[in-house]
Amino acid sequence: DVKVTQSSRYLVKRTGEKVFLECVQDMDHENMFWYRQDPGLGLRLIYFSYDVKMKEKGDIPEGYSVSREKKERFSLILESASTNQTSMYLCASSSPGTGFNEQFFGPGTRLTVL
Amino acid sequence: GENVEQHPSTLSVQEGDSAVIKCTYSDSASNYFPWYKQELGKRPQLIIDIRSNVGEKKDQRIAVTLNKTAKHFSLHITETQPEDSAVYFCAASIGGTSYGKLTFGQGTILTVHP
């Protein structure tokens, strides 16, 4: 049974703080993704990674960076948090290969930036 | 890049009725179309998917249809039950490339009234 975990369910930060969101998966998946979920906007891809130390920008990368030092762990970094980054953040992973593979999601981190 | 539009944004039905959610996509190269269900407070989970070499796929009370010419696909839920109440997301991808990167629609909040 695939398990994707995220470091926090709820997080409150101040404007300008550096924020780290961590995601860990236990299924040896090569692909990992970070999304933000906002009402009426669906799930929007921030960054994804297809291998250790490899990353690619998604649709809304501005204001975010990522780190993948180990295969099982994918971190999302907000260098200087702003109020418009208040959102639900979801991590996902999938097995490599054909690209027809299911993405498994973590429980999400609800981030509030004050 | 790919753009996926999903309608309606909210859908309210009586238990036992059918529900239909529609999505359109822009990139004719897209060939993989999954649907995810997100219950309140939980993570999105894959419920059904379809590849472009198939026009329809069924799994018990849910079915997905695909019209490649018109670039739209739909989720059909028959004999709806209260436990079908959730947010449903459609997505599109170019399977075989792009590491399984999905573009999601905006989501549909389905409410099934007992």
Side-chain angles (χ1 to χ4, degrees), chain A residues 20 39 41 59 87 94 113:
Chain A
F20 293 86
L41 297 178
D59 300 316
S87 186
S94 70
V113 182

Side-chain angles (χ1 to χ4, degrees), chain B residues 46-49 56-64 75-78:
Chain B
L46 178 71
I47 55 171
I48 195 168
D49 56 15
E56 183 175 2
K57 185 177 179 181
K58 286 184 180 180
D59 183 3
Q60 299 182 339
R61 294 186 298 107
I62 61 173
V64 57
L75 178 71
H76 304 254
I77 306 174
T78 58

Side-chain angles (χ1 to χ4, degrees), chain B residues 9-99:
Chain B
S9 56
T10 61
L11 181 59
S12 183
V13 300
Q14 289 296 129
E15 183 176 359
D17 287 350
S18 295
V20 180
I21 302 170
K22 298 181 179 179
C23 290
T24 60
Y25 61 99
S26 61
D27 191 340
S28 56
S30 289
N31 58 3
Y32 175 59
F33 307 94
W35 286 87
Y36 285 77
K37 174 184 180 183
Q38 185 179 30
E39 296 177 8
L40 188 63
K42 298 197 174 176
R43 66 193 78 192
Q45 290 189 299
L46 178 71
I47 55 171
I48 195 168
D49 56 15
I50 191 169
R51 299 189 189 187
S52 60
N53 58 349
V54 174
E56 183 175 2
K57 185 177 179 181
K58 286 184 180 180
D59 183 3
Q60 299 182 339
R61 294 186 298 107
I62 61 173
V64 57
T65 58
L66 171 65
N67 184 325
K68 285 170 53 180
T69 304
K71 289 193 283 188
H72 68 70
F73 56 111
S74 300
L75 178 71
H76 304 254
I77 306 174
T78 58
E79 300 172 22
T80 53
Q81 300 168 3
E83 51 264 39
D84 294 329
S85 296
V87 182
Y88 291 81
F89 294 99
C90 63
S93 172
I94 303 174
T97 65
S98 69
Y99 309 103

